[in-house]
């Protein structure tokens, strides 16, 4: 399951980045803000990836969302909650 979450997250992130990056070109450890992701685009990205993976955004507190600073951290958090469902 994490592979499909990772793929889904990569695609969703590539859709909101200001520069064109293929999903495969995004480094899992790159800071989202270093990729040019604005606060609004981070919300759009997280909402989209939660919808696509069927992991409710309600699982995450404001602190949890703020702590998701890399794509890898987003994938890890979503994977934990997907396994619970």
């Amino acid at each position: 399951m994490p592979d499909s979450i990772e793929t889904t997250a990569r695609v969703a992130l590539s859709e909101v980045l200001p520069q064109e990056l293929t999903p495969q070109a995004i480094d899992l450890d790159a800071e989202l803000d270093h990729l040019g992701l604005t606060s609004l685009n981070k919300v759009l990205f997280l909402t989209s990836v939660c919808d696509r993976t069927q992991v409710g955004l309600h699982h995450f507190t404001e602190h949890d969302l703020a702590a998701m600073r890399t794509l890898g951290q987003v994938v890890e958090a979503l994977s934990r909650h997907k396994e619970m469902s």
Side-chain angles (χ1 to χ4, degrees):
M1 188 65 65
D3 286 339
S4 64
I5 289 175
E6 180 180 327
T7 300
T8 302
R10 284 177 178 278
V11 170
L13 181 57
S14 71
E15 293 172 353
V16 297
L17 290 177
Q19 75 273 16
E20 285 192 36
L21 278 177
T22 64
Q24 301 79 14
I26 302 171
D27 182 355
L28 283 175
D29 296 323
E31 296 279 333
L32 296 175
D33 59 342
H34 291 168
L35 293 173
L37 199 67
T38 64
S39 297
L40 175 59
N41 283 351
K42 184 176 181 181
V43 170
L44 294 172
F45 159 61
L46 291 171
T47 301
S48 175
V49 78
C50 282
D51 285 346
R52 293 177 191 190
T53 59
Q54 299 180 336
V55 173
L57 195 55
H58 68 276
H59 289 293
F60 306 105
T61 65
E62 185 177 332
H63 177 73
D64 293 333
L65 298 175
M68 293 181 202
R69 293 185 305 271
T70 68
L71 180 60
Q73 290 170 334
V74 172
V75 170
E76 181 181 322
L78 290 169
S79 296
R80 280 194 308 268
H81 290 286
K82 187 68 175 176
E83 292 171 4
M84 293 178 178
S85 54

